[in-house]
Amino acid sequence: MTDRSATNDRDEPAGPLAFERDLVGPAGAVVRLTPLLRRVVAGNGGPMTFTGTCTYIVGEGTVAIVDPGPDDDAHVVRLLEAVAGETVSHIVLTHTHRDHSPASRAVKAATGAPIVGCGPHRPSREIAVGEAHRLDAASDQDHVPDRIMRMGDAVSGPGWTLEAVETPGHTANHLAFTLPQEGALLSGDHVMAWSTTVVAPPDGSMADYMRSIELLRGMEHAIYWPGHGGPVREPQRFLRGLVQHRRQREAAILNRLRAGDETIQAMVPAIYQDLPEVLRGAAALSVFAQIEDLVARRVVLCAEPVPGLSSRYRLV
């Protein structure tokens, strides 16, 4: 990993944001990705998880397991079989959504390895009235790490190192991990090739998310290995596309406000045309995240003291 903040390609045109939705192999199969990485996909595929959570095994002989996945006995058994005869030195977590972290306790019980990485789950800001249920809905409130890692902290084993990169946004405690021996980043749910990341307040923050994107734009990685789906093979180009995508979404929201829409519920059908009904809730939360940021920047006004999903909004 090197700093690239002084280079000129940060301003290159992004081009259209192209997603890759190729299948990554059947759930439970141990797939060799690189000399230092193996992947086992959990059997929890769905609209929000694509083909399932990607659990990574880093190293050989003495290994780290990154994001052990959901509370799924079958997945835990497959993971333990995959590392049979090896020593698990660390259980590493990017964040505490229930599709990523609960299995860490079972893997720790079986291997004795410490749980390291992200801290306990927390909101990105003070919780408003009626928001507590949204924070709890997908979060692992039982996560208690043995070691909380901060920016630049590292764990290592024979021939491998995982260095923490703080990337809040999807969740307040989100981390990514550089694998410098392969020029790679294990990006968790911060950047994924199959879809944009859901940023859902009060769990996540769009302002934090975009700052984290800019942080990654100042780093050099050859490839990202995300928490769902296949790799991001041209990270800098993809990051530029994500920035442009978010700008376009912001412009669409402002256009809907100019057209007279006052509520998120009114905006979503026009902004996300032909979106399946099952994803409308996530889309509404993404719009909310961007409006929350616009209110903080004083571009948009909210009729209530604290912005909410059902609040009314207007341009300044």
Side-chain angles (χ1 to χ4, degrees):
M1 179 178 68
T2 58
D3 182 64
R4 62 190 308 280
S5 57
T7 62
N8 293 324
D9 65 353
R10 287 168 57 85
D11 297 321
E12 288 180 1
L17 186 58
F19 298 114
E20 295 186 15
R21 296 189 172 96
D22 295 337
L23 298 179
V24 295
V30 182
V31 178
R32 168 67 65 180
L33 302 172
T34 70
L36 287 176
L37 282 181
R38 288 167 277 172
R39 180 181 60 204
V40 184
V41 179
N44 62 334
M48 304 299 291
T49 56
F50 194 38
T51 60
T53 302
C54 294
T55 299
Y56 295 98
I57 301 168
V58 182
E60 294 284 341
T62 298
V63 304
I65 293 178
V66 180
D67 284 352
D71 184 11
D72 178 347
D73 291 343
H75 182 58
V76 171
V77 167
R78 288 189 290 266
L79 280 178
L80 296 176
E81 290 175 346
V83 297
E86 299 180 287
T87 299
V88 179
S89 62
H90 301 88
I91 303 162
V92 184
L93 293 180
T94 62
H95 66 294
T96 44
H97 278 159
R98 291 179 184 172
D99 56 331
H100 284 258
S101 59
S104 63
R105 269 96 65 187
V107 175
K108 177 180 178 178
T111 66
I115 298 172
V116 305
C118 67
H121 202 83
R122 66 184 192 276
S124 62
R125 54 159 170 76
E126 185 178 352
I127 299 176
V129 175
E131 287 189 311
H133 70 283
R134 287 210 310 276
L135 183 70
D136 293 342
S139 62
D140 178 10
Q141 299 290 333
D142 296 326
H143 172 67
V144 180
D146 295 294
R147 175 190 172 193
I148 298 174
M149 296 177 68
R150 306 295 186 188
M151 186 76 180
D153 290 345
V155 295
S156 61
W160 59 266
T161 303
L162 291 172
E163 182 178 330
V165 180
E166 293 189 41
T167 50
H170 177 60
T171 60
N173 65 352
H174 197 286
L175 299 175
F177 292 92
T178 291
L179 179 61
Q181 290 83 1
E182 296 189 340
L185 182 77
L186 277 66
S187 58
D189 282 5
H190 185 60
V191 180
M192 300 177 287
W194 79 280
S195 175
T196 56
T197 295
V198 171
V199 179
D203 207 359
S205 161
M206 186 60 69
D208 288 347
Y209 180 81
M210 295 309 295
R211 281 191 288 268
S212 295
I213 290 292
E214 288 303 315
L215 174 68
L216 292 186
R217 291 182 71 193
M219 299 177 177
E220 184 66 51
H221 297 97
I223 193 168
Y224 291 175
W225 295 102
H228 304 274
V232 179
R233 298 188 184 278
E234 296 183 82
Q236 287 300 324
R237 180 180 179 87
F238 197 80
L239 291 174
R240 292 194 296 272
L242 284 176
V243 171
Q244 183 64 26
H245 174 81
R246 293 297 181 183
R247 289 173 180 165
Q248 290 170 347
R249 282 281 183 255
E250 182 176 295
I253 290 168
L254 295 176
N255 286 337
R256 295 316 307 166
L257 289 166
R258 292 188 189 99
D261 290 349
E262 295 183 337
T263 66
I264 292 170
Q265 290 76 11
M267 296 177 200
V268 167
I271 296 173
Y272 293 87
Q273 297 180 15
D274 302 320
L275 186 71
E277 187 64 31
V278 69
L279 297 177
R280 288 291 176 94
L285 287 170
S286 289
V287 172
F288 179 31
Q290 296 212 221
I291 285 184
E292 187 177 66
D293 183 40
L294 289 166
V295 170
R297 288 156 48 196
R298 300 187 179 182
V299 178
V300 171
L301 292 177
C302 178
E304 288 81 33
V306 179
L309 265 175
S310 58
S311 297
R312 292 188 174 275
Y313 299 93
R314 64 177 177 85
L315 293 172
V316 172

